[in-house]
Amino acid sequence: MKQLQNYVFSTWNPTIGCSKISAGCTNCYAEIIAKRLRLLGNEIYKDGFKFKMLPSRLNEPIKSKKQTVFFVNSMSDPFHEHMSEEFLDKILDVISQTPYHQYQILTKRPHRMRKYFLSRKIPKNVWLGTTVESSFVKDRIDLIRDLDATVKWLSCEPLINDLDSLDLSGINWVVAGGESGINARAMKKEWVVNLKNECENQDVAFYFKQWGTWGSDGVRRDKKSNGALLNGKLYQSYPKIIEPQKRTQLSLFD
């Protein structure tokens, strides 16, 4: 989308580690990366995929000189049961201090995210999302659709069954994708087409990220070869966002 052309995309991991709560977690890419880093002797991952809060990383967005879309906690879940509300407050304080960035927050624990934000103001540069990888967790959508966030979104990745009909009221963006890795589960083309049609019918931006390990033809390949074309086209739309505030001065950390 034109509004995001001046942004760079990055991740920000003030916490690491997680625990499995639904079928989408079965082949967790973050857990695989964490175990690999532990074997390589990375001190932060010496305990593998155990949940940890990392205060030393809190100010990373403040140091960033370029407008950035940060995906928050690609190696964790920001609303994990062991995340303290005090540390969450510190994360939100950094977000509030940096209105020139955008922050994508995604959780498989929307019940906790809802409880947290019902008593707090949500910064305008926050995108609140929940993972809906299968029809068995569609009730997660109801927990975010009425939150007062500029962008509310769904990550349907890895998409492991047909989501059928969806009520996308209150939702601004849907991201879909297939699973990658040696144990990846195949995603059927009709599931993606159905999700795309639901978005188009309800005027919701749709972003198809990748086929993953299994192509649209059901053949196993590397994910780069399988690409992200759906019926020969790319569908990679972003939601509308509020025009961000420009950086008016450098921070003390620059």
Side-chain angles (χ1 to χ4, degrees):
M1 187 176 174
K2 188 175 181 181
Q3 281 179 294
L4 295 175
Q5 286 181 350
N6 295 325
Y7 286 82
V8 296
F9 289 76
S10 187
T11 57
W12 175 37
N13 284 290
T15 71
I16 60 170
C18 200
S19 51
K20 293 177 170 59
I21 61 167
S22 65
C25 304
T26 299
N27 300 315
C28 179
Y29 75 90
E31 182 178 22
I32 294 170
I33 292 172
K35 289 180 177 179
R36 186 181 302 147
L37 290 171
R38 180 187 62 185
L39 291 174
L40 291 172
N42 187 300
E43 180 65 20
I44 291 176
Y45 290 94
K46 65 180 181 180
D47 298 313
F49 206 46
K50 181 181 178 181
F51 181 85
K52 291 181 181 179
M53 292 171 278
L54 303 173
S56 62
R57 292 185 174 181
L58 277 173
N59 286 329
E60 287 179 0
I62 297 174
K63 300 175 185 179
S64 178
K65 297 180 180 180
K66 294 183 178 180
Q67 285 185 310
T68 303
V69 177
F70 283 105
F71 184 85
V72 182
N73 283 342
S74 63
M75 295 296 292
S76 183
D77 187 324
F79 289 92
H80 189 272
E81 292 78 7
H82 294 157
M83 171 74 91
S84 74
E85 288 198 357
E86 181 180 68
F87 198 72
L88 271 171
D89 288 343
K90 292 179 180 178
I91 291 173
L92 266 293
D93 183 55
V94 170
I95 291 173
S96 296
Q97 289 181 53
T98 53
Y100 39 86
H101 296 320
Q102 300 287 322
Y103 294 86
Q104 298 171 340
I105 295 178
L106 181 68
T107 185
K108 287 186 175 71
R109 297 161 172 85
H111 57 285
R112 188 165 187 223
M113 183 166 75
R114 179 179 183 81
K115 182 179 179 182
Y116 177 80
F117 280 117
L118 283 178
S119 62
R120 292 168 175 82
K121 184 177 180 180
I122 304 172
K124 295 298 183 184
N125 55 335
V126 166
W127 307 17
L128 292 183
T130 189
T131 303
V132 183
E133 74 270 21
S134 77
S135 57
F136 299 107
V137 292
K138 289 199 296 185
D139 58 337
R140 290 175 179 170
I141 305 173
D142 293 327
L143 296 173
I144 73 164
R145 71 171 81 248
D146 64 343
L147 292 178
D148 188 25
T150 300
V151 173
K152 287 164 286 185
W153 62 291
L154 309 179
S155 174
C156 303
E157 184 184 16
L159 187 59
I160 58 177
N161 75 11
D162 189 4
L163 298 184
D164 199 14
S165 61
L166 286 174
D167 176 7
L168 296 176
S169 57
I171 303 301
N172 310 99
W173 191 40
V174 172
V175 178
E179 195 165 41
S180 300
I182 191 170
N183 296 314
R185 294 159 285 186
M187 176 179 64
K188 294 185 179 180
K189 180 179 177 180
E190 54 263 35
W191 302 347
V192 187
V193 171
N194 174 64
L195 189 52
K196 175 188 73 72
N197 290 342
E198 286 288 310
C199 289
E200 289 178 349
N201 293 338
Q202 300 180 59
D203 196 26
V204 174
F206 177 69
Y207 191 107
F208 182 49
K209 185 177 176 182
Q210 64 172 21
W211 283 100
T213 295
W214 298 91
S216 59
D217 54 3
V219 176
R220 188 183 185 105
R221 307 181 187 88
D222 66 274
K223 66 179 183 180
K224 185 176 181 180
S225 297
N226 282 327
L229 293 179
L230 179 61
N231 291 330
K233 293 177 61 178
L234 276 178
Y235 293 90
Q236 296 188 337
S237 297
Y238 285 98
K240 294 179 181 179
I241 60 171
I242 292 177
E243 188 64 26
Q245 296 184 33
K246 303 295 183 182
R247 242 183 129 153
T248 56
Q249 62 182 18
L250 297 178
S251 76
L252 295 176
F253 297 95
D254 292 325

